[in-house]
Amino acid sequence: IMESNRPDYSRTGTMRYIKQYIFTILALIQLSHGKAILPLEGPIDAPSVEKALGESVWKKILSGDIYTKSEVEDFKIFGQKKQKLTFYIAGLHKKSCRFALKKLSHYESYNEHIGYIKRSKYDEKTQRVDFLLSSSLLPYNMTLNFKIPRIKSIGSYPFIFDKGFLRNLKGTIRAINYKKRCLFYTTANWEGDHSGIPNSIFAFFSKAMSQLAMENLFRISTTY
């Protein structure tokens, strides 16, 4: 669930438009690079991820880069304006999955490691995370709440946002052994009512926030 007091873009002040302009330029620069997002079917392993990402991106990941791609588009159904998001992020951890996941699966401590997460909770019984996000990178504060088990071992872990903003967003987090290291590959897709956020802004903040989160989580999970 993502909830917020969404601003009326038609009434915002000069500074809001300046920020949007900057975000738009940055987003367009970033979206102009990299291979198009490809859907993956069936079992996911390192070779299939490499094939989906392409040789140049795969080399960057092997060198230590975290690669993120976010595409947002408008479309219409019976004249009603809609929006869709296609997203992936991939990164190769320095440690094994068994080592890395000891900290990465502790969702309730994310607010201690990721600056824009102001509140992080996890209900063991319902398997739901609850994050409050607040950052200058975001167009407004958001609450993120969805169901996902603790990821403690290699495998594929599907998730869905079942209520609120971005309702029915579906994704999968994959943890894959790769030469004694852990390859993380997450994909997500969403279609729904238009968010009111310009596509370039939406793509930029989803990409920037996700990459920042993975960088921080990789850093703090390389040691006990």
Side-chain angles (χ1 to χ4, degrees):
I1 305 167
M2 280 188 176
E3 297 175 346
S4 63
N5 293 319
R6 284 180 283 186
D8 182 349
Y9 284 93
S10 64
R11 299 180 181 177
T12 50
T14 302
M15 289 305 297
R16 173 67 71 182
Y17 285 108
I18 291 174
K19 288 181 180 179
Q20 287 186 8
Y21 178 77
I22 294 172
F23 285 157
T24 300
I25 296 301
L26 290 173
L28 290 174
I29 291 172
Q30 292 173 342
L31 290 172
S32 66
H33 296 83
K35 188 175 179 179
I37 299 170
L38 299 178
L40 297 180
E41 302 292 342
I44 302 301
D45 53 17
S48 61
V49 173
E50 178 182 359
K51 181 179 179 180
L53 297 179
E55 183 179 358
S56 61
V57 173
W58 181 248
K59 286 182 178 179
K60 292 179 181 179
I61 290 172
L62 294 183
S63 69
D65 289 352
I66 291 172
Y67 192 83
T68 313
K69 186 78 172 181
S70 181
E71 298 173 347
V72 183
E73 300 178 62
D74 289 343
F75 67 102
K76 289 186 178 181
I77 297 180
F78 302 118
Q80 185 175 1
K81 193 173 182 180
K82 302 286 185 176
Q83 202 169 29
K84 63 180 178 180
L85 165 72
T86 309
F87 169 90
Y88 76 72
I89 183 168
L92 184 61
H93 200 282
K94 293 181 179 179
K95 301 289 186 177
S96 67
C97 291
R98 182 178 179 181
F99 187 101
L101 288 169
K102 289 180 181 180
K103 281 191 176 180
L104 296 181
S105 64
H106 200 256
Y107 312 129
E108 54 267 63
S109 66
Y110 277 18
N111 65 318
E112 300 174 10
H113 310 299
I114 303 175
Y116 66 79
I117 297 183
K118 305 305 179 182
R119 181 186 71 234
S120 58
K121 298 180 181 179
Y122 186 69
D123 189 314
E124 203 75 48
K125 185 176 181 179
T126 62
Q127 295 189 326
R128 297 192 74 91
V129 294
D130 176 38
F131 296 147
L132 173 63
L133 313 183
S134 179
S135 169
S136 59
L137 292 175
L138 290 169
Y140 39 77
N141 292 347
M142 296 180 179
T143 298
L144 176 62
N145 185 296
F146 63 95
K147 184 175 181 178
I148 189 168
R150 288 196 190 276
I151 302 176
K152 296 181 178 181
S153 61
I154 60 171
S156 295
Y157 299 84
F159 62 90
I160 183 171
F161 292 3
D162 49 7
K163 296 179 182 179
F165 180 51
L166 298 186
R167 182 178 181 181
N168 293 325
L169 179 146
K170 297 178 180 179
T172 304
I173 298 173
R174 301 172 181 89
I176 304 165
N177 278 329
Y178 179 76
K179 297 183 179 180
K180 297 183 180 181
R181 298 172 68 182
C182 196
L183 173 64
F184 290 93
Y185 183 69
T186 298
T187 56
N189 294 275
W190 170 78
E191 291 186 2
D193 292 337
H194 202 283
S195 66
I197 306 172
N199 293 338
S200 56
I201 307 294
F202 198 163
F204 172 75
F205 80 71
S206 60
K207 171 182 167 64
M209 303 298 282
S210 299
Q211 185 159 339
L212 181 61
M214 183 171 279
E215 288 172 352
N216 286 341
L217 290 173
F218 272 23
R219 176 180 51 79
I220 63 100
S221 59
T222 54
T223 58
Y224 282 112

